[in-house]
Amino acid sequence: MSKVRRIAIAVVAVAVGVVALLLVAEQRQGRDAKPLPGTALRVLGPQRAILVGTAVRAAEMRDNRAYRQLIAQQFSSLTPENEMKWALVEPERGTFEFKFGDYIVEQAEKAGQSVRGHTLIFDSQLPGWIAELDSREVRQATEQYIRRVVGHWAGRIAVWDVVNEPLTALGELKRTPFPSKLGRGHIATAFRVAHRADPKARLHINEAGAEAIGPKSDRLYELVRELRAQGVPIDGVGFQVHTNLGGIPPTFVDNLRRFAALGVEIAITEADVALKLPPSAADLRAQARVYGDIVRSCRAVKACRQLTVWGFTDGRSWISELQPGNGAATILDEDLRPKPAFGAMQRALSP
Ligand code: G3I
């Protein structure tokens, strides 16, 4: 065989290989999203002065076209579900991994969405190396971490959950490893360091199970009041609202109002409504009512400017992954088709 012929065969083989790889990659991306009925949540929300957001997963966005398209079509704000947590961002001390968070920020910027950074100080998903440090070193590592991470995304993250779930069910400050190793002042310090690293980012405290007026939300209220009185740069309070068919507590709106009266903005940050599996049609209707109530609660309080769902498809939700027997907690089913809850959110956001 002549040399020219051998080269031609090689070129064709490489081209066929490249095309095959592209086809496989294309197939792995899956189909386009089926359009969802009615007006997109990201169009309805602003008519009510509410940014409607969702928690997202970077790997899924990269690999699943329909998932990515629906995020761009329906939401105005993205919260990385895990990608900005300490264990993932600084797995080894001093070694930072920003690429997953960067990907989400880039996608959000392309789609004209804002990003809610989640989260700087949280007792879950901490890197293992923290446990080896003494109090002085934990303080140092925490401040360095906040400076580095907030600085990395400075100007690109609208809101940070600076401190996440600091309180126990009874409203005590959690012990491990914060604040036992940091001292009680760590919350104020975290806000101050974050503010210096990105003066434009709005800084929130984000709490779970503090929706009702009661011991836990009372302590949270006192904490926020004290921080404000001390001049700590805290701009807002996030209420997670992980719930089930028990719905939202009757005191929720009054609770939001008393926090708003402190001069802070309010966000609903992680809404979902877990169902027992398999859910009946009546369960799905009842779930829709709860989603509608969540939206209406935010609408009832002027300071409530952001409402984020903790995932938008039952195929990608922490409830089915981490709570055996429960699931179906989101507004779209596993095949990205709308559940009654999606329509309920649209109606509750409509003028
Ligand atoms: O990444 C590993 C993977 O490599 C491994 O194979 C797999 C095996 O279990 O685990 C994967 O890590 C999981 C991670 O999610 C990413 O999927 C962890 O086990 C799992 O614990 C982790 O759960 C997250 C949870 O926070 C941890 O605290 C959930 O996805 C996330 O939705 C959840 O989010 C929290 C908010 O941050 C704060 N508020 C409550 C909310 C729900 O728990």
Side-chain angles (χ1 to χ4, degrees):
M1 206 186 320
S2 75
K3 194 173 172 195
V4 173
R5 199 153 170 202
R6 278 205 305 274
I7 291 173
I9 289 171
V11 168
V12 169
V14 167
V16 168
V18 167
V19 169
L21 280 175
L22 287 175
L23 282 175
V24 170
E26 177 74 7
Q27 255 186 353
R28 276 185 48 204
Q29 286 271 310
R31 295 162 194 265
D32 284 332
K34 282 219 180 87
L36 295 177
T39 309
L41 299 175
R42 72 177 287 181
V43 175
L44 290 169
Q47 297 172 16
R48 293 281 159 203
I50 296 175
L51 274 189
V52 184
T54 180
V56 296
R57 300 178 174 186
E60 197 64 26
M61 283 179 90
R62 189 195 54 210
D63 297 342
N64 181 338
R65 178 187 295 134
Y67 177 89
R68 191 170 61 238
Q69 288 171 338
L70 289 177
I71 290 169
Q73 285 163 17
Q74 293 293 328
F75 299 99
S76 315
S77 163
L78 309 188
T79 306
E81 187 172 345
N82 290 299
E83 290 79 351
M84 292 186 185
K85 288 174 178 168
W86 200 342
L88 284 89
V89 173
E90 195 181 1
E92 307 292 334
R93 189 157 187 201
T95 305
F96 288 82
E97 177 56 272
F98 290 120
K99 69 170 182 270
F100 303 107
D102 282 345
Y103 176 79
I104 292 172
V105 172
E106 282 155 20
Q107 292 295 314
E109 287 171 347
K110 265 196 219 157
Q113 297 158 317
S114 68
V115 178
R116 189 176 175 99
H118 178 81
T119 170
L120 299 170
I121 300 287
F122 185 21
D123 60 311
S124 168
Q125 287 167 293
L126 286 168
W129 53 264
I130 286 276
E132 315 291 323
L133 308 184
D134 65 25
S135 305
R136 192 186 55 83
E137 291 167 326
V138 171
R139 256 196 302 278
Q140 205 182 26
T142 305
E143 289 175 28
Q144 278 169 356
Y145 177 75
I146 295 175
R147 262 195 296 277
R148 183 74 198 268
V149 173
V150 176
H152 177 79
W153 283 300
R156 303 174 78 190
I157 303 261
V159 182
W160 269 107
D161 286 330
V162 176
V163 177
N164 194 61
E165 300 173 33
L167 304 180
T168 66
L170 291 175
E172 303 294 333
L173 273 186
K174 283 183 188 164
R175 286 185 165 278
T176 53
F178 314 111
S180 55
K181 285 193 172 172
L182 285 174
R184 284 186 64 87
H186 78 279
I187 293 183
T189 304
F191 278 95
R192 291 196 165 108
V193 175
H195 181 63
R196 279 197 293 275
D198 184 0
K200 289 216 172 104
R202 283 158 22 239
L203 306 180
H204 286 199
I205 193 165
N206 188 41
E207 188 51 277
E211 286 78 30
I213 293 182
K216 184 165 186 173
S217 65
D218 289 351
R219 297 294 289 270
L220 182 64
Y221 177 83
E222 278 312 313
L223 177 61
V224 174
R225 200 175 60 78
E226 278 168 30
L227 291 169
R228 299 275 297 176
Q230 291 160 13
V232 173
I234 173 171
D235 301 295
V237 182
F239 293 82
Q240 296 187 3
V241 195
H242 291 290
T243 187
N244 52 32
L245 289 188
I248 49 170
T251 52
F252 185 39
V253 169
D254 286 341
N255 194 26
L256 297 185
R257 286 195 176 128
R258 71 169 168 161
F259 278 86
L262 294 173
V264 289
E265 55 188 16
I266 304 291
I268 291 175
T269 52
E270 306 188 10
D272 54 19
V273 182
L275 301 180
K276 292 267 171 258
L277 294 176
S280 65
D283 291 340
L284 295 175
R285 285 196 300 274
Q287 178 185 53
R289 284 194 290 278
V290 178
Y291 269 101
D293 288 344
I294 295 171
V295 174
R296 282 184 289 274
S297 303
C298 186
R299 274 185 53 179
V301 181
K302 200 162 170 237
C304 186
R305 307 286 307 283
Q306 188 169 24
L307 194 168
T308 289
V309 290
W310 205 241
F312 63 94
T313 162
D314 292 343
R316 301 286 175 268
S317 156
W318 73 288
I319 298 281
S320 29
E321 291 161 359
L322 297 178
Q323 293 189 11
N326 295 304
T330 76
I331 57 176
L332 306 185
D333 71 11
E334 298 197 350
D335 296 320
L336 301 174
R337 285 178 307 219
K339 292 162 64 185
F342 176 71
M345 279 192 77
Q346 287 177 313
R347 281 192 299 282
L349 285 167
S350 295

